Amino acid sequence: MGFKTRTVGVVGLGHVGAHVAFNLGMMGVADTVKLCDPNEKKMRSEQQDCRDAVMFMPHHVRYEAASYEDLADCDIIINALGKVAILTTHNRDTEMEYTVAQTSDMVPKVMKGGFKGIFLNITNPCDVVTDLIQKLSGLPRNHVFGTGTGLDTSRLVNVIAQETGLDYNSFTAYMIGEHGNAQMAAWSLVRFGGQPLDELAKVDKRFDFDRAELQKKAIMGGWVTYSGKQCTEYGISSCAVTMANLVFHDAKKIMPASAYLDGQYGETGIYCGIPCVIGADGIEHVMEYTLTDQEKKDFAGCCETIRQNIKKAESIWKK
């Protein structure tokens, strides 16, 4: 009796892509992982290292080297093309010249092979490159999405947990907007066991914390990681692999991702970090919460930043 294997392609095997490939096996998400990188020597090295780890993984995983065209039979392709050395400016937009050029070269070759699956983007600037992938691939908008503020939300949850002493899974909080310096914490949506933060802050001083300071810490979390090892690896790879797992299991879980906005929050025509339902059909629903007037204004500012960067990206790949 035959069975359906789960095949994931990983494009770009730097610090992030290599960890994605490893976690796909170690977290038991994929049966076959296709490794793809412009540097064939690097690709072969990562293939060997991953194969050496398979004996310790929860189930057998095949690690295969692949060209762009060889990714046609993948269920999901995770794009991690990048050049982390460019990030010395502490601004993810700095990567744009390199990542837009690399992505605009990669996507047509993948599509030429006949790919019809889901594209999950990590590459920065995440919202801009996700938009680029959708335009170049012609895939349905809900079948192209990015990690977006999924990782930033984890960083926000981290700082709130440290501040309150509560477990990470005992409350909900979301970073929304750009995966970049323009992102924002939606404080009106924070819930502790269902109770709003504003209510708790009135009766328990643990929750009456400096929100601006915690938002700053969440935004800067990635740069704290980067400062000591010139990359980020564990958090972002775990975020991406979790999203792939939600697709494979049709989980229909609400999680922040870079999703296409089509009128939600008054915004149209861009990819942006927002809580959404992720399942077998990719982004199955964008959650539209009630924000405060100030949050609406701040979110609109985030979207405008993304919109301007999309224009910059178009000037690069349309040359």
Side-chain angles (χ1 to χ4, degrees), residues 130-198:
T130 304
D131 175 84
L132 173 62
I133 291 172
Q134 194 282 320
K135 287 174 177 172
L136 292 178
S137 69
L139 290 168
R141 288 166 179 155
N142 59 305
H143 287 182
V144 180
F145 59 98
T147 46
T149 53
L151 175 60
D152 303 306
T153 291
S154 176
R155 290 171 176 154
L156 177 63
V157 168
N158 176 19
V159 296
I160 294 174
Q162 299 302 319
E163 184 73 20
T164 62
L166 293 175
D167 179 80
Y168 288 46
N169 295 307
S170 62
F171 58 92
T172 56
Y174 299 117
M175 275 292 208
I176 62 175
E178 181 201 30
H179 175 59
N181 295 335
Q183 65 190 260
M184 56 174 281
W187 293 110
S188 66
L189 304 182
V190 178
R191 296 289 185 275
F192 293 84
Q195 189 171 12
L197 173 61
D198 286 341

Side-chain angles (χ1 to χ4, degrees), residues 236-258:
I236 184 56
S237 65
S238 299
C239 177
V241 174
T242 295
M243 289 181 172
N245 199 39
L246 298 181
V247 172
F248 282 132
H249 290 275
D250 194 20
K252 302 189 188 305
K253 180 177 180 178
I254 296 174
M255 181 177 178
S258 183

Side-chain angles (χ1 to χ4, degrees), residues 80-289:
L81 285 169
K83 195 171 185 179
V84 73
I86 301 173
L87 280 176
T88 53
T89 60
H90 283 202
N91 188 331
R92 297 172 182 87
D93 300 341
T94 308
E95 291 185 89
M96 194 182 303
E97 286 279 350
Y98 178 84
T99 58
V100 167
Q102 289 289 309
T103 302
S104 61
D105 175 67
M106 175 268 293
V107 175
K109 293 176 181 177
V110 169
M111 299 310 296
K112 185 179 179 181
F115 177 68
K116 294 183 174 66
I118 285 176
F119 243 118
L120 172 52
N121 178 57
I122 297 173
T123 294
N124 284 321
C126 185
D127 308 292
V128 175
V129 174
T130 304
D131 175 84
L132 173 62
I133 291 172
Q134 194 282 320
K135 287 174 177 172
L136 292 178
S137 69
L139 290 168
R141 288 166 179 155
N142 59 305
H143 287 182
V144 180
F145 59 98
T147 46
T149 53
L151 175 60
D152 303 306
T153 291
S154 176
R155 290 171 176 154
L156 177 63
V157 168
N158 176 19
V159 296
I160 294 174
Q162 299 302 319
E163 184 73 20
T164 62
L166 293 175
D167 179 80
Y168 288 46
N169 295 307
S170 62
F171 58 92
T172 56
Y174 299 117
M175 275 292 208
I176 62 175
E178 181 201 30
H179 175 59
N181 295 335
Q183 65 190 260
M184 56 174 281
W187 293 110
S188 66
L189 304 182
V190 178
R191 296 289 185 275
F192 293 84
Q195 189 171 12
L197 173 61
D198 286 341
E199 291 182 10
L200 274 173
K202 294 175 183 177
V203 297
D204 189 333
K205 65 180 181 180
R206 281 187 303 163
F207 301 95
D208 188 23
F209 44 72
D210 187 331
R211 299 182 186 185
E213 180 62 24
L214 260 62
Q215 175 175 288
K216 181 180 178 181
K217 284 183 178 180
I219 293 173
M220 296 305 296
W223 304 118
V224 172
T225 303
Y226 179 85
S227 66
K229 61 180 191 175
Q230 283 67 60
C231 65
T232 63
E233 301 164 305
Y234 309 122
I236 184 56
S237 65
S238 299
C239 177
V241 174
T242 295
M243 289 181 172
N245 199 39
L246 298 181
V247 172
F248 282 132
H249 290 275
D250 194 20
K252 302 189 188 305
K253 180 177 180 178
I254 296 174
M255 181 177 178
S258 183
Y260 186 81
L261 295 184
D262 189 18
Q264 297 90 345
Y265 304 96
E267 301 290 341
T268 299
I270 62 168
Y271 278 85
C272 184
I274 203 73
C276 50
V277 177
I278 303 177
D281 201 31
I283 301 297
E284 299 192 351
H285 180 69
V286 173
M287 304 299 294
E288 190 164 14
Y289 298 108

